[in-house]
Amino acid sequence: MLYNNLINNTKSINNKYYNNIIWGYIDIYKGNINLYSPQLCIKIENHYKNNKDFINIDLLNTTIFFKNELLQITNNRKHSVFRIITSNLQINKTLILKNDRYYLYKKQNHIGLLIDHSIITDYDKHNICDIFLKQQSIIEKNRLYLPEQGSINIKKLNNFKNLFSNNNESIFNNFINILLHISKNYYRNELAYIYILSTNENYNLLVNIYNTLINRNLVHDNYNIIQLEFLNDLEYISMY
């Protein structure tokens, strides 16, 4: 599979909302867009504007959380929540289906790091950290991929020592491992950056592997395979 599919869903607005502010959520099992009543939207908005952490809606056995990410818990089930201001007669939302659950789609980039520990032993870790610090500030949902560690929200990366862990596998096995993990989370038009610190020979072999997988329609062609060279400073010497 080249990428996971996105789902476009719509909902007609049949009520008049105060200041055109509408709160709603996604049915986690059906993917339907559900809107709160105009009266309830006013109450939710007041809590939100007053910097409350959450609001309890006892009648619906629901709690809506406002901090970090809008989230609703109803009967111990989590639902994606949204807030929009619109005078349109219809709402359009893009959803993802993951593990038979529907969620609001939020664009993300995918960033992988491969260090050939069997060959490269002397390199500037500070400059590598700088790359990922910059990526942390670009898109909130950027995901980090390290060998045998799956997918990590880059915003939650606090210990940068994890970037340099050595699992004693070959860089080729680790490259395939990262590609597989990216493919599980990749959606159309997202970008992937895989930074590689190795010899020119191994880098070229990895690019050839990637090209072969593209030709067999096993991965998307929207990945950037970036070779890193460390002399006095970090610089890209090649981007495929």
Side-chain angles (χ1 to χ4, degrees), residues 112-115 117 145-150 162-163 165-167 169-170 173-175 177-178 181:
L113 174 64
L114 284 173
I115 298 174
H117 291 282
Y145 300 83
L146 301 172
E148 295 188 356
Q149 294 191 40
N162 293 335
L163 294 173
S165 60
N166 181 4
N167 65 350
E169 292 286 340
S170 75
N173 287 341
N174 286 334
F175 182 65
N177 179 272
I178 284 180
H181 282 296

Side-chain angles (χ1 to χ4, degrees), residues 6-175:
L6 296 174
I7 302 164
N8 294 313
N9 208 345
T10 60
K11 175 74 174 181
S12 296
I13 302 174
N14 299 316
N15 296 308
K16 184 173 179 59
Y17 288 82
Y18 181 69
N19 287 338
N20 293 324
I21 300 174
I22 302 174
W23 285 83
Y25 67 95
I26 304 301
D27 185 315
I28 197 171
Y29 295 111
K30 299 179 181 179
N32 297 333
I33 301 173
N34 296 320
L35 306 180
Y36 286 109
S37 67
Q39 296 79 9
L40 196 49
C41 282
I42 293 174
K43 185 177 180 180
I44 297 171
E45 182 69 13
N46 285 337
H47 277 67
Y48 177 73
K49 283 294 185 64
N50 287 319
N51 294 318
K52 302 293 185 181
D53 290 341
F54 62 89
I55 179 174
N56 287 319
I57 306 173
D58 295 332
L59 183 63
L60 302 177
N61 194 26
T62 291
T63 301
I64 299 175
F65 295 91
F66 303 120
K67 297 297 182 181
N68 299 323
E69 183 175 4
L70 296 177
L71 175 69
Q72 170 182 312
I73 297 181
T74 301
N75 297 323
N76 295 320
R77 297 186 178 96
K78 297 180 180 180
H79 301 261
S80 295
V81 171
F82 61 88
R83 171 187 182 269
I84 63 170
I85 302 175
T86 181
S87 58
N88 296 334
L89 299 178
Q90 182 173 280
I91 292 175
N92 301 295
K93 288 294 177 183
T94 303
L95 311 178
I96 61 173
L97 178 61
K98 194 168 186 178
N99 298 324
D100 297 322
R101 303 287 190 272
Y102 290 90
Y103 304 95
L104 283 172
Y105 168 70
K106 295 182 179 180
K107 186 176 181 179
Q108 57 191 356
N109 287 338
H110 308 267
I111 302 99
L113 174 64
L114 284 173
I115 298 174
D116 198 340
H117 291 282
S118 65
I119 299 174
I120 306 296
T121 57
D122 185 18
Y123 56 92
D124 191 336
K125 294 181 179 180
H126 293 291
N127 281 325
I128 290 181
C129 289
D130 285 343
I131 292 176
F132 291 91
L133 283 170
K134 291 176 183 177
Q135 291 288 354
Q136 279 185 324
S137 65
I138 297 174
I139 295 181
E140 182 179 352
K141 299 292 288 186
N142 273 358
R143 305 208 67 82
L144 169 66
Y145 300 83
L146 301 172
E148 295 188 356
Q149 294 191 40
S151 171
I152 306 167
N153 186 331
I154 200 168
K155 285 287 186 182
K156 298 180 180 179
L157 179 66
N158 297 316
N159 187 356
F160 282 84
K161 290 182 180 179
N162 293 335
L163 294 173
F164 311 108
S165 60
N166 181 4
N167 65 350
N168 295 314
E169 292 286 340
S170 75
I171 195 170
F172 303 102
N173 287 341
N174 286 334
F175 182 65

Side-chain angles (χ1 to χ4, degrees), residues 223-235:
Y223 295 10
N224 298 285
I225 312 299
I226 303 168
Q227 184 181 18
L228 302 176
E229 180 182 16
F230 290 81
L231 298 172
N232 296 323
D233 263 322
L234 173 72
E235 62 179 351

Side-chain angles (χ1 to χ4, degrees), residues 3 105 107-109 186-191 220 222:
Y3 48 78
Y105 168 70
K107 186 176 181 179
Q108 57 191 356
N109 287 338
Y186 184 86
Y187 294 88
R188 185 192 297 270
N189 295 327
E190 293 179 339
L191 295 176
H220 202 276
N222 211 22

